[in-house]
Amino acid sequence: MALAMVNVTASVLNWVSSYFDAPTRAVVFGVPIDGHLVVEALLVVVILFQLTRKSYKPPKKPLTEKEIDELCDDWVPEPLTPQITEDMTYEPPTLESAAGPHAIVNGKEVVNFASANYLGLVGNEKITDSCVGALEKYGVGSCGPRGFYGTIDVHLDCEQKIAKFLGTPDSILYSYGISTIFSVIPAFCKKGDIIVADEGVHWAVQNGLYLSRSTVVYFKHNDMKSLENKLEEVTRRSKHPEKVRRYIVVEAIYQNSGQIAPLDEIVRLKEKYRFRIILDESHSFGVLGNSGRGLADHCGVPIEKIDIITAGMGNALATDGGFCTGSVRVVDHQRLSSSGYVFSASLPPYLASAAIAAVDYLEENPSVLSKLRTNIATLFNELSDVPGLVLASHILSPIVFLKLKKSTGTGKTDIDLLDSIAKQALEEDSVLIATTKRSSLDKCKLPIGLRLFVSASHSESDLLKAAASLKRVAALLIS
Amino acid sequence: MVRLPYLTALTTLFSYGILFVFGHLRDFFRKIFDWSKSNNLQGYAPICLGYEDFYTRRLYLRIQDCFGRPISSAPDSWFDVVERYSNDNNKTLHRTEKTTKCLNLGSYNYLGFAAADEYCTPRVIESLKQYSVSTCSTRVDGGTTKLHTELEELVARFVGKPAAVLFGMGYVTNSAIIPALIGKGGLIISDSLNHNSIVNGARGSGATVRVFQHNNAPHLEEVLREQIAHGQPRTHRPWKKIIVIIEGIYSMEGELCKLPEIIAVCKKYKVYTYLDEAHSIGAVGQTGRGVCELLGVDTADIDIMMGTFTKSFGSCGGYIAASKEIIQHLKRTCPAHLYATSMSPPAVQQVISAMKVILGEDGTNRGAKKLAQIRENSNFFRSELQKMGFEVLGDNDSPIMPIMLYNPAKIPAFSRECLHQNVAIVTVAFPATPLLLARARICISAAHSREDLIKALEVISKVGDLVGIKYFPVEPVKPNKVKHLKKIE
């Protein structure tokens, strides 16, 4: 058996070698074809054949219905909201009267420093009368968006009045304070645009920046050097300056810290680097400047240099809603592309007539501004030596902001301490002040603190009472 | 559902084609003229680049007088429309002092609370004198008044949920609540025809957004199964939570949502539901409690119910009604509650009074009469329009009636001719509706009397004949009925 195998193998090998060593059988094109060349040609063909084959992939099997059913049964969603523990429930003080400088909370009269009623227009007779007239004529709501019979003549009058007061060509009204800024920013900034914003802007501005899908670069809070660096960096990196829109977003008086933006510096930088400014004047309209026209008046900057000004009217003007003003192009563009304007019902007409009356009052009585300034200065002075707290706002800001000198450890204990200070001030001394409350969605990292909103209708005794109360309570609670 | 006839689609596309060609020609000439004039942008990029505002400049501005018409009285069933004129071919419009009294078929005034009401207005004026126009403060600082707490309890009772929270504007309610409920790692499935505020809120939350076909519960089930099985995109981790967002009545279609089927699907797959009842609260249902009552769905099955006060209650603002834990969580995290000025007290009082009227707690049965009136009006108007041959969308009992126009030229023709005959109609075109499906939208109110509706029907029929929008055959008047009546006599 083995011998036979050996014989067969030997004869096969003999045959193969004889074939290889065979003399040249053919001459093709002057090249002699040896036997082995045929084998090599066959090998090349096999290699090419393998190269053209697709690589092996395991076949894709879509999930069967039964598997999907199992996955759906297994899936357990998170609860819609996290568990609420006892200490998380917070009941704000309930007012039983108008939110003027003196209000009634839980049956007691308190001095109210929690309302941004800067000009003391809450409870003003003329405004109330104009509202009563508007309510009787127009009812309460406007029952429609601006494009579909929701435009009432008081809206148009209010827009013209505000534009005339500020000295701009036109203005546009929005129906709610915070929706103004987060509708304006996405109307002008789209994907691919560049925005340089202050890191201390409030949530509504942050939401507008997020919705606009532009590239956002933050600079250090109210720091002009940092702003210049960021502008320089951004201008160097941008490729098509003619096609990319660039904006600087700042607030006139920052809600989160009480600082005032240096507008003349910002305008100088804007002209150097060719950016447009979006300025949110919610807390400075009707407060800063000799005639209450806002930050541009205060810094002596001509109003045409600021491209877009927005403001909420829920502060100095003691009404609700917001407006945006600028050149005719800016305002007209918003009438069709600003979502908070097009897709929402318009401002109730009585609020618009309250705004008109408030602006009238401000024009006729500019002395109320100097009264406000004196009050702010008095309170600032009194609060400069509160134990444990330090003043963090600008000396001219109507939001007087006090932050803790030393943090107690964690953010949570800080908030608890401030809340207990405010609670004791309310219960024992009848002084209502506000603490900063940050939503979990807010990305602002500025320190929290106590806020007092000064009004022109606060009397000197009110201010002294608040300062004394804070000093006493802070001494007790801050070790 | 809209059935777009082939011929109409062709003619509409042809019309839009002509408008676009002319628009581009004018842009071309404008570019040539501006070449010689100096550019005063000085290195700044223009506010609108290239063709971003092409639609506004070349199509919308031509018919600008059909939109944004100012009025100078309350938006009641009859109101005064201010006349406007233009010196530069509709680019800018100027007001005049003259007004025309027109029948109002466009305002959201479902129960007739838009104008001064005998029960509501005295109480509103009283609360204005007591609490003044605004609190100038956020709800958490010092802006909560007794009225706000009273209204929150009343809303919760009215809607049928344990607790509620108020906001000063309906748009902000959606935009600020959805980010507080769901974030990255979550999934939002929303109806394809949802309102812009829901789209903005969903985008602002950072969650993944998927869309299901309008009112199609089987398609929703398909999308849910696929998404749960595959998990998050790219990482395939399971979703943290899934929320399905639907509306009660869709404002551009007038359709009710198929609530029982959709809720059944959601319960089966353990997803959360969010119902936006902006147009349906107060307007549909036996006692005005909205689409849940009308379709027989238990309110405990829906996790979050949202609504606005602008439409049926004649005020402003919005609310969210849900379980106590959800409301407490929202009061702690929702930015609109923490940062926005609280709702104006007179507006709050208006809603309280309006709700009391609807519930019958003011001692009269005006509320029940209003609800019966609006149901009767809507059904009568819709059936008459359909008999005349118009293509009317929407379900029975819904007070919103879109009439299809399709062609872009019919939009201004219909609108202007109706205004000429003292009927004020709202016409809607792109971008609120798809490009080819322009429509005129009618909102019926309980304040409309039978004579008002008959006059409106006459005018719409005449103008419809002129403009040519009776796409369906006219129903012939049945002769048998007349014979039957004669027999009895």
Side-chain angles (χ1 to χ4, degrees):
Chain A
M1 187 60 207
L3 203 59
M5 285 296 298
V6 171
N7 280 341
V8 169
T9 339
S11 58
V12 167
L13 278 170
N14 270 338
W15 180 78
V16 170
S17 52
S18 72
Y19 201 62
F20 268 139
D21 297 332
T24 317
R25 287 288 175 89
V27 180
V28 180
F29 301 126
V31 178
I33 302 282
D34 290 323
H36 64 281
L37 278 178
V38 178
V39 178
E40 278 146 20
L42 215 63
L43 278 171
V44 169
V45 169
V46 168
I47 290 173
L48 284 173
F49 178 71
Q50 290 287 33
L51 278 174
T52 53
R53 293 289 98 209
K54 276 198 287 209
S55 59
Y56 173 72
K57 274 199 197 110
K60 265 199 179 151
K61 277 194 302 195
L63 296 170
T64 62
E65 288 303 311
K66 194 156 166 304
E67 282 168 345
I68 297 184
D69 279 334
E70 275 172 29
L71 281 168
C72 293
D73 284 331
D74 281 342
W75 179 67
V76 175
E78 270 181 16
L80 194 52
T81 50
Q83 273 295 73
I84 303 288
T85 56
E86 255 322 302
D87 61 335
M88 287 192 198
T89 55
Y90 168 74
E91 285 305 321
T94 312
L95 263 65
E96 288 156 22
S97 74
H102 294 264
I104 302 181
V105 173
N106 293 335
K108 282 195 307 178
E109 184 170 321
V110 301
V111 181
N112 184 7
F113 279 94
S115 293
N117 170 24
Y118 303 136
L119 300 176
L121 289 175
V122 167
N124 183 290
E125 280 290 322
K126 273 213 194 119
I127 296 185
T128 314
D129 284 337
S130 79
C131 283
V132 170
L135 282 171
E136 281 168 351
K137 185 171 179 204
Y138 300 110
V140 176
S142 59
C143 300
R146 286 291 289 261
F148 303 149
Y149 303 109
T151 309
I152 305 187
D153 47 5
V154 282
H155 292 143
L156 302 172
D157 291 334
C158 187
E159 287 176 358
Q160 277 169 3
K161 180 132 214 129
I162 292 179
K164 212 164 83 154
F165 178 69
L166 281 176
T168 51
D170 203 359
S171 71
I172 176 173
L173 272 186
Y174 283 84
S175 35
Y176 205 43
I178 59 169
S179 78
T180 315
I181 190 67
F182 77 60
S183 305
V184 166
I185 296 183
F188 289 103
C189 315
K190 306 276 192 293
K191 201 171 161 80
D193 294 339
I194 301 178
I195 306 184
V196 178
D198 189 300
E199 66 179 4
V201 287
H202 63 283
W203 173 83
V205 182
Q206 289 168 19
N207 195 28
L209 294 172
Y210 182 75
L211 284 174
S212 70
R213 296 202 262 213
S214 323
T215 330
V216 183
V217 176
Y218 290 100
F219 67 91
K220 283 217 207 37
H221 182 55
N222 226 13
D223 183 350
M224 290 300 110
K225 273 242 102 331
S226 167
L227 172 61
E228 187 157 8
N229 289 341
K230 293 284 180 207
L231 289 175
E232 182 72 53
E233 200 182 304
V234 154
T235 328
R236 242 182 313 128
R237 274 190 299 169
S238 98
K239 295 190 200 103
H240 303 281
E242 295 299 307
K243 296 241 178 85
V244 169
R245 291 168 286 219
R246 291 164 295 180
Y247 295 92
I248 302 178
V249 176
V250 282
E251 291 179 45
I253 296 185
Y254 290 92
Q255 271 184 14
N256 286 330
S257 69
Q259 293 293 324
I260 298 187
L263 192 62
D264 35 7
E265 251 317 287
I266 298 179
V267 168
R268 188 188 64 83
L269 286 172
K270 146 199 142 121
E271 288 184 332
K272 181 171 167 198
Y273 291 98
R274 298 269 182 264
F275 273 63
R276 288 196 168 96
I277 296 188
I278 300 183
L279 181 65
D280 181 55
E281 290 223 53
S282 299
H283 291 270
S284 65
F285 180 75
V287 172
L288 292 180
N290 286 331
S291 48
R293 285 185 166 82
L295 191 58
D297 193 17
H298 171 78
C299 293
V301 170
I303 197 93
E304 300 83 43
K305 294 217 174 179
I306 310 180
D307 305 278
I308 304 172
I309 301 178
T310 65
M313 301 198 287
N315 303 311
L317 293 183
T319 169
D320 210 349
F323 67 85
C324 175
T325 179
S327 66
V328 176
R329 183 84 186 86
V330 158
V331 169
D332 273 343
H333 177 75
Q334 285 172 59
R335 292 203 196 268
L336 267 193
S337 35
S338 171
S339 29
Y341 180 82
V342 172
F343 292 107
S344 161
S346 55
L347 186 64
Y350 76 97
L351 291 175
S353 66
I356 297 178
V359 173
D360 275 335
Y361 178 87
L362 184 55
E363 274 182 329
E364 287 160 17
N365 310 331
S367 57
V368 68
L369 291 164
S370 47
K371 177 109 195 333
L372 176 63
R373 248 170 286 171
T374 337
N375 280 358
I376 300 174
T378 318
L379 191 61
F380 210 81
N381 220 0
E382 291 292 320
L383 288 176
S384 48
D385 55 353
V386 177
L389 295 169
V390 69
L391 280 167
S393 58
H394 194 272
I395 193 163
L396 288 173
S397 145
I399 308 178
V400 176
F401 196 85
L402 291 155
K403 64 175 185 201
L404 289 167
K405 253 197 202 131
K406 230 174 17 141
S407 164
T408 54
T410 64
K412 180 125 190 7
T413 44
D414 282 345
I415 298 179
D416 286 338
L417 177 59
L418 292 169
D419 276 338
S420 48
I421 295 179
K423 199 157 163 238
Q424 253 191 312
L426 176 62
E427 283 169 2
E428 294 172 14
D429 298 320
S430 299
V431 173
L432 179 60
I433 55 180
T435 55
T436 348
K437 290 175 186 61
R438 288 273 163 76
S439 160
S440 53
L441 301 173
D442 196 341
K443 290 194 281 253
C444 178
K445 301 277 185 299
L446 295 183
I448 52 167
L450 293 169
R451 285 189 300 182
L452 286 92
F453 295 96
V454 183
S455 160
S457 49
H458 278 135
S459 63
E460 179 131 6
S461 56
D462 292 335
L463 303 167
L464 293 172
K465 183 171 173 193
S469 158
L470 262 180
K471 284 188 200 158
R472 188 186 73 86
V473 174
L476 273 177
L477 290 176
I478 305 184
S479 49
Chain B
M1 287 312 297
V2 181
R3 287 166 285 177
L4 182 57
Y6 198 51
L7 188 61
T8 320
L10 276 179
T11 48
T12 316
L13 275 171
F14 181 64
S15 316
Y16 274 112
I18 293 190
L19 286 168
F20 279 127
V21 162
F22 269 96
H24 278 284
L25 267 175
R26 289 175 107 169
D27 274 349
F28 176 66
F29 281 113
R30 171 65 45 195
K31 233 194 270 191
I32 294 184
F33 278 138
D34 281 345
W35 207 292
S36 44
K37 276 200 284 195
S38 70
N39 186 9
N40 62 346
L41 280 174
Q42 297 158 350
Y44 289 91
I47 292 213
C48 276
L49 296 164
Y51 291 118
E52 266 176 15
D53 62 342
F54 177 75
Y55 180 81
T56 316
R57 270 178 306 144
R58 298 297 171 209
L59 273 77
Y60 176 81
L61 280 184
R62 283 172 181 260
I63 55 172
Q64 209 195 134
D65 63 314
C66 300
F67 303 103
R69 292 191 178 134
I71 63 177
S72 68
S73 72
D76 202 8
S77 52
W78 285 84
F79 62 179
D80 298 324
V81 176
V82 173
E83 288 175 14
R84 297 185 292 178
Y85 68 92
S86 172
N87 290 332
D88 50 3
N89 207 17
N90 265 355
K91 260 182 89 181
T92 52
L93 294 161
H94 304 275
R95 280 196 284 173
T96 60
E97 296 300 323
K98 289 179 33 208
T99 60
T100 5
K101 203 166 178 64
C102 299
L103 177 64
N104 181 4
L105 289 178
S107 294
Y108 301 136
N109 177 22
Y110 300 139
L111 294 178
F113 283 113
D117 184 79
E118 60 193 13
Y119 180 79
C120 302
T121 314
R123 286 174 176 69
V124 168
I125 294 185
E126 198 187 302
S127 72
L128 171 69
K129 296 202 173 115
Q130 191 187 2
Y131 290 100
S132 103
V133 178
S134 160
T135 56
C136 295
S137 171
T138 63
R139 281 292 298 275
V140 281
D141 282 342
T144 309
T145 62
K146 270 174 69 177
L147 288 177
H148 290 95
T149 21
E150 189 185 335
L151 180 57
E152 285 181 351
E153 284 163 26
L154 187 57
V155 164
R157 192 158 54 94
F158 185 77
V159 169
K161 285 293 229 182
V165 65
L166 297 177
F167 297 97
M169 182 182 170
Y171 188 93
V172 163
T173 312
N174 273 332
S175 310
I177 285 290
I178 300 178
L181 289 174
I182 192 170
K184 238 167 118 70
L187 174 66
I188 297 179
I189 306 187
S190 85
D191 191 293
S192 57
L193 295 177
N194 267 343
H195 190 251
N196 186 276
S197 56
I198 298 177
V199 170
N200 259 349
R203 244 194 261 155
S205 67
T208 320
V209 181
R210 293 276 177 266
V211 165
F212 73 95
Q213 274 170 20
H214 175 59
N215 248 350
N216 192 341
H219 188 247
L220 171 64
E221 182 160 6
E222 213 180 286
V223 171
L224 270 174
R225 286 169 70 81
E226 191 197 319
Q227 289 300 325
I228 297 180
H230 287 281
Q232 296 186 29
R234 292 178 64 234
T235 56
H236 294 292
R237 289 205 196 108
W239 295 106
K240 293 207 179 123
K241 48 187 134 158
I242 301 184
I243 300 186
V244 171
I245 306 186
I246 43 179
E247 288 188 33
I249 294 186
Y250 291 93
S251 55
M252 286 299 155
E253 274 69 35
E255 277 171 6
L256 298 163
C257 83
K258 294 203 171 85
L259 201 56
E261 292 94 333
I262 294 183
I263 297 293
V265 167
C266 292
K267 274 170 92 164
K268 184 169 159 201
Y269 291 94
K270 299 174 278 194
V271 300
Y272 302 112
T273 40
Y274 182 107
L275 177 64
D276 177 337
E277 289 214 80
H279 285 268
S280 52
I281 189 77
V284 295
Q286 189 68 22
T287 53
R289 283 181 160 84
V291 88
C292 288
E293 191 184 6
L294 185 68
L295 298 175
V297 173
D298 188 7
T299 52
D301 288 338
I302 306 179
D303 296 289
I304 301 172
M305 298 174 70
M306 176 260 175
T308 59
F309 301 125
T310 333
K311 281 95 187 176
S312 309
F313 303 100
S315 173
C316 64
Y319 68 87
I320 296 266
S323 68
K324 283 211 166 69
E325 292 84 34
I326 299 181
I327 297 294
Q328 268 178 355
H329 170 78
L330 288 176
K331 281 188 175 174
R332 279 185 60 245
T333 50
C334 178
H337 196 249
L338 297 174
Y339 299 132
T341 323
S342 65
M343 202 164 143
S344 170
V348 177
Q349 179 61 43
Q350 163 78 12
V351 183
I352 295 178
S353 317
M355 269 193 186
K356 291 215 168 110
V357 170
I358 296 176
L359 287 171
E361 286 172 14
D362 64 328
T364 66
N365 65 345
R366 278 175 65 215
K369 275 205 284 208
K370 280 182 195 271
L371 287 162
Q373 180 82 15
I374 188 175
R375 210 174 317 134
E376 207 187 295
N377 283 356
S378 327
N379 290 336
F380 168 70
F381 206 78
R382 180 172 269 117
S383 57
E384 288 296 316
L385 280 178
Q386 278 170 338
K387 277 194 223 152
M388 286 187 210
F390 290 102
E391 182 170 353
V392 183
L393 306 180
D395 298 333
N396 266 337
D397 279 351
S398 146
I400 303 180
M401 273 159 244
I403 305 179
M404 296 310 295
L405 295 173
Y406 300 120
N407 287 59
K410 295 188 181 171
I411 306 168
F414 191 73
S415 176
R416 288 172 190 157
E417 193 52 43
C418 280
L419 189 65
H420 212 55
Q421 315 235 1
N422 292 349
V423 170
I425 290 240
V426 161
T427 45
V428 198
F430 185 80
T433 61
L435 188 65
L436 297 179
L437 304 174
R439 60 201 73 178
R441 185 181 70 171
I442 298 185
C443 293
I444 296 294
S445 151
H448 287 136
S449 63
R450 194 45 85 95
E451 295 83 37
D452 295 335
L453 294 180
I454 294 181
K455 170 173 176 15
L457 284 166
E458 269 172 34
V459 170
I460 293 178
S461 181
K462 247 194 296 178
V463 178
D465 278 328
L466 267 177
V467 171
I469 50 176
K470 290 190 176 167
Y471 292 110
F472 290 156
V474 181
E475 240 180 61
V477 178
K478 293 192 176 53
N480 311 338
K481 247 196 223 170
V482 180
K483 264 198 212 151
H484 183 75
L485 281 168
K486 279 215 172 106
K487 258 194 197 161
I488 286 179
E489 274 171 74

